[in-house]
Amino acid sequence: MSADETPSTTRRTVIRAGVALGVGVGATALAGTPADAAPGAPVIGGQLNDAGEAGTVLVGGSSANPTLALAGTDPMLRLFPTPDDAIPAELPTGSLAVTPTAELVVGGRDGRRAYVNTSRWSNRIVAVPPVRLLDTRALASYSANVLAGVDGVVSGRLQAGRTLYLTVSRVPAGSYYAPVGAYLNITVANTVSGGVLTAFAAGAARPDTSSVNWWGPNQILSNLVEVPLGAHERGATAFALHVRAAATVVVDVSALILSLPG
């Protein structure tokens, strides 16, 4: 038996550096130079532990005592990114990996690769009691929701070529979560000629698309629109409305798309 072995380790070499951590073994401070743990050796705290292609399996625990418990003030578990092309299409069920773009990958049912639990994939739609954000016929009553563009409203109509910027921050759940989108019922009325309304995220370039379109004067039309939210200089969680022909505009919110708590 060498000076680096003890009767209880048999073939496991005790690396004399850092703190040795083992299942069912008390942590022991060891003096010496840093080294990596070989397969079968204890895990060395504060050091790189590279066992090559060998796997590590923890067995034990109960409903009251987990197999593995982590504690700390910094992130307690970190997965280093794995290139997408290195993650196989089929993973053992329960396997975890993270891509360089921070997508969490899990081995799902029957080993199928699945994506879970990131802000990109875990956004949720939350219905809210309908809230009226805007009626250009009574603009002063909704001024708290309007960030900019009020000068574009004349005689109760948003004028051709003008844009209004609105926020959902006063909508229930919009103030204490992080909304990334909203479902809006947008109505146009008192039209003067055919036109188009475009809803889009504040801070983004206006797309050449239609959210509501009409084809003549004195029409009342509405549409349910999903719009992304962006940042405006006067507030976040904002969107914009642009019209190509003058019309009264009414906006009601029926749901928010929420990401993680803000």
Side-chain angles (χ1 to χ4, degrees), residues 15-20 30 32-37 43-50:
I15 310 298
R16 296 181 301 171
V19 177
L30 301 174
T33 57
D36 297 345
V43 175
I44 308 301
Q47 302 293 332
L48 172 65
N49 293 265
D50 185 355

Side-chain angles (χ1 to χ4, degrees), residues 48 77-83 87 96-104:
L48 172 65
L77 177 65
R78 178 183 177 189
L79 300 179
F80 282 81
T82 301
I87 302 175
L96 286 178
V98 66
T99 72
T101 54
E103 305 297 353
L104 189 61

Side-chain angles (χ1 to χ4, degrees), residues 227-246:
V227 62
L229 300 174
H232 184 270
E233 60 185 13
R234 291 189 55 200
T237 62
F239 64 95
L241 301 174
H242 178 274
V243 295
R244 299 185 191 177

Side-chain angles (χ1 to χ4, degrees), residues 70 78-79 166 176 184 186 216 221 254:
L70 304 174
R78 178 183 177 189
L79 300 179
L166 305 175
Y176 50 88
L184 312 173
I186 301 177
L221 295 166
S254 58

Side-chain angles (χ1 to χ4, degrees), residues 190-254:
N190 299 321
T191 60
V192 296
S193 63
V196 170
L197 179 147
T198 301
F200 58 101
R206 174 169 55 88
D208 189 23
T209 57
S210 169
S211 301
V212 185
N213 59 285
W214 57 99
W215 56 91
N218 302 316
Q219 292 187 326
I220 301 176
L221 295 166
S222 64
N223 196 23
L224 180 64
V225 176
E226 179 184 350
V227 62
L229 300 174
H232 184 270
E233 60 185 13
R234 291 189 55 200
T237 62
F239 64 95
L241 301 174
H242 178 274
V243 295
R244 299 185 191 177
T248 292
V249 181
V250 180
V251 179
D252 299 320
V253 180
S254 58

Side-chain angles (χ1 to χ4, degrees), residues 14 17 67 94 121 139 148 159 204 211 216 259:
V14 178
T67 304
W121 297 102
L139 192 60
Q159 298 299 296
S211 301
S259 62

